[in-house]
Amino acid sequence: MQAVEIRKDIYWVGAIDWSMRSFHGYQTGRGSTYNAYLILDDKITLIDTVKDVFAEELLERVSSVIDPARIDYIISSHVEPDHSGSIPFMAQHCPNAKIITSLPNGLKGLKAHYGELPYEGVKAGDTLDIGHRKLKFVTTPMLHWPDSMVTYCPDEKILFSNDAFGEHYATSARFDDENDLPTIFWEAKKYYANILMLYGRQAQAALKALDGLEIDMIATGHGIIWRSHVKEILEHYQEWSEGKLEDRAVVVFDSMWHSTETMARTITEAFQSRGIQASFYDIKENHLSDIMTDVLSSRYLAVGSPTINNQMMPTIAAFLCYLKGLAPKDHKAFAFGSYGWGGQSIALVEDELKAAGCEIILDKVRIANVPSSEQLQDLTEQIKNL
Ligand code: FEO
């Protein structure tokens, strides 16, 4: 396992998790990487570690450059174990290293996870002089944990951004311009939608804190390193965090005997006939994390469920629970569904959409049993008249 030099005397020494397919429920179809960086200067500095099962891989990559015992500092940008999990292991191999973490939450979190180690706390704006370079700490609380921080090196114009601007994407090519660009932007959007959407206000604050810094490279905690498309990923974060919406619709449904599915098809077609692109998601065939990626920037959301045991389908309940947690902004939504008798599911879906912060633009669309062509025509008209 070799380190990859990304700038003179600065190395990527992380790990590639080719096989991971779930990151606490977020479906990671393309795996991920846990990025760590080694800076050789008067003081040798390791920025972040990797998930504990990859500790040996990290050590091997570091050892391909220097003796790990020479490391002076290990910076912990974020306590979540995909980045901090190998700190105890590295502390054993780097007996002289101080572990730099944010105050007060990084220190509190690391102690809670790993007990006493040689920690040193830093605050927003503190600078670490490592010789020819300085490292400046910018705290980014709740982006997405209380302890989160990023490290800026003004001498190299590199931002070591940890979770921000990253994506779950396993690749052997370290830079943005060596990978398929639409794929990495889509994965970055998926990462934002599923990990950071709830924290748009904090993302805006972080972007403000970074405003004015000259950034040539963003060395992320996951996926690729941005060097050719820095401006674009910063712009995307601006749009996503301010909740900029496109005239697009997401139609999500479950169905028992195809009647709610027929309504979903009609709604999708009706949006399209209005010139609004619409995506059709049978919840049985699509993962929540993919649907949420589309929800992030789509203005309209239609959610359908038939009634089962006086409730909505559990699949739709899970989707709405996830939606409510991520708290999308300013979406226009409505509930729909077919039913045999009680038909309670449609009102329940509408209640959950309201609880998620959506504006209801069409009162509960309910059709008993199998939709007739007249009822579907009427549904089409209702969408057209929205
Ligand atoms: Fe990649 Fe929040 O850890």
Side-chain angles (χ1 to χ4, degrees):
M1 300 270 177
Q2 293 292 311
V4 179
E5 193 169 38
I6 62 166
R7 186 67 70 75
K8 183 162 171 29
D9 290 335
I10 302 180
Y11 295 84
W12 174 86
V13 288
I16 306 174
D17 194 346
W18 296 101
S19 303
M20 181 181 67
R21 290 295 176 266
S22 174
F23 191 85
H24 46 58
Y26 164 171
Q27 192 175 64
T28 49
R30 294 186 171 94
S32 193
T33 70
Y34 313 109
N35 297 337
Y37 301 93
L38 184 71
I39 307 177
L40 303 188
D41 208 317
D42 295 346
K43 297 287 185 187
I44 297 176
T45 304
L46 177 66
I47 300 183
D48 287 320
T49 69
V50 297
K51 205 184 222 182
D52 57 359
V53 291
F54 293 95
E56 292 283 357
E57 185 170 334
L58 168 66
L59 185 67
E60 212 174 301
R61 292 195 201 276
V62 170
S63 303
S64 73
V65 183
I66 50 140
D67 175 0
R70 291 179 55 206
I71 290 178
D72 298 286
Y73 298 116
I74 299 173
I75 295 174
S76 169
S77 311
H78 176 27
V79 176
E80 194 163 13
D82 50 332
H83 306 286
S84 73
S86 299
I87 284 179
F89 174 85
M90 289 307 286
Q92 284 176 7
H93 290 84
C94 315
N96 304 314
K98 284 199 175 102
I99 299 159
I100 309 289
T101 182
S102 67
L103 285 173
N105 291 316
L107 185 60
K108 199 168 130 193
L110 287 180
K111 280 186 179 176
H113 278 75
Y114 309 114
E116 288 301 330
L117 287 169
Y119 303 117
E120 190 172 306
V122 292
K123 301 184 298 300
D126 281 358
T127 296
L128 185 67
D129 194 335
I130 58 171
H132 298 94
R133 303 173 181 86
K134 289 187 174 47
L135 299 175
K136 184 179 174 187
F137 303 108
V138 180
T139 56
T140 54
M142 296 316 298
L143 203 65
H144 65 123
W145 274 27
D147 67 289
S148 297
M149 70 175 183
V150 299
T151 301
Y152 177 63
C153 179
D155 315 276
E156 301 284 353
K157 298 179 184 163
I158 299 180
L159 179 71
F160 297 94
S161 68
N162 194 258
D163 278 338
F165 312 117
E167 66 289 322
H168 286 310
Y169 182 62
T171 170
S172 52
R174 300 271 59 84
F175 291 101
D176 51 359
D177 49 51
E178 299 170 327
N179 287 277
D180 180 61
L181 207 53
T183 303
I184 55 175
F185 275 124
W186 192 85
E187 291 291 351
K189 182 178 180 184
K190 182 173 180 178
Y191 191 93
Y192 184 91
N194 286 276
I195 306 278
L196 302 176
M197 193 196 298
L198 175 61
Y199 303 111
R201 192 165 48 80
Q202 290 84 353
Q204 289 266 289
L207 289 169
K208 206 168 169 187
L210 298 176
D211 194 28
L213 300 182
E214 284 187 80
I215 300 173
D216 281 352
M217 184 182 285
I218 301 179
T220 63
H222 296 291
I224 56 82
I225 296 166
W226 301 99
R227 68 175 175 192
S228 298
H229 301 278
V230 169
K231 188 167 167 279
E232 291 97 315
I233 188 65
L234 287 169
E235 283 170 358
H236 279 307
Y237 260 62
Q238 186 62 42
E239 288 166 8
W240 298 333
S241 61
E242 70 189 23
K244 187 174 174 189
L245 298 175
E246 296 164 24
D247 258 349
R248 294 175 58 96
V250 170
V251 181
V252 188
F253 70 95
D254 203 344
S255 197
M256 292 164 73
W257 295 104
H258 304 294
S259 290
T260 302
E261 180 179 348
T262 301
M263 293 173 75
R265 280 190 200 286
T266 302
I267 292 165
T268 305
E269 285 291 320
F271 272 116
Q272 287 168 355
S273 69
R274 280 189 58 180
I276 295 172
Q277 270 195 48
S279 303
F280 174 91
Y281 290 108
D282 182 339
I283 197 114
K284 294 186 291 299
E285 309 297 337
N286 294 277
H287 197 268
L288 296 181
S289 47
D290 289 320
I291 301 172
M292 215 51 72
T293 310
D294 211 353
V295 168
L296 172 66
S297 53
S298 296
R299 189 177 314 284
Y300 300 100
L301 174 61
V303 181
S305 174
T307 300
I308 182 168
N309 304 327
N310 304 323
Q311 299 291 326
M312 67 181 89
M313 297 287 277
T315 46
I316 292 297
F319 168 75
L320 290 166
C321 174
Y322 195 51
L323 181 83
K324 201 159 55 170
L326 289 169
K329 286 188 192 67
D330 303 325
H331 285 61
K332 296 179 185 298
F334 65 90
F336 66 94
S338 90
Y339 62 99
W341 51 103
Q344 298 93 331
S345 58
I346 300 97
L348 291 170
V349 169
E350 185 181 283
D351 286 347
E352 289 301 291
L353 287 169
K354 283 182 192 162
C358 298
E359 178 195 347
I360 303 300
I361 53 166
L362 198 57
D363 193 28
K364 301 166 272 295
V365 181
R366 292 156 44 100
I367 295 180
N369 301 306
V370 179
S372 66
S373 53
E374 291 77 18
Q375 286 171 315
L376 293 175
Q377 186 54 43
D378 181 53
L379 178 54
T380 299
E381 290 305 317
Q382 289 187 66
I383 305 295
K384 284 186 178 170
N385 293 332
L386 279 176

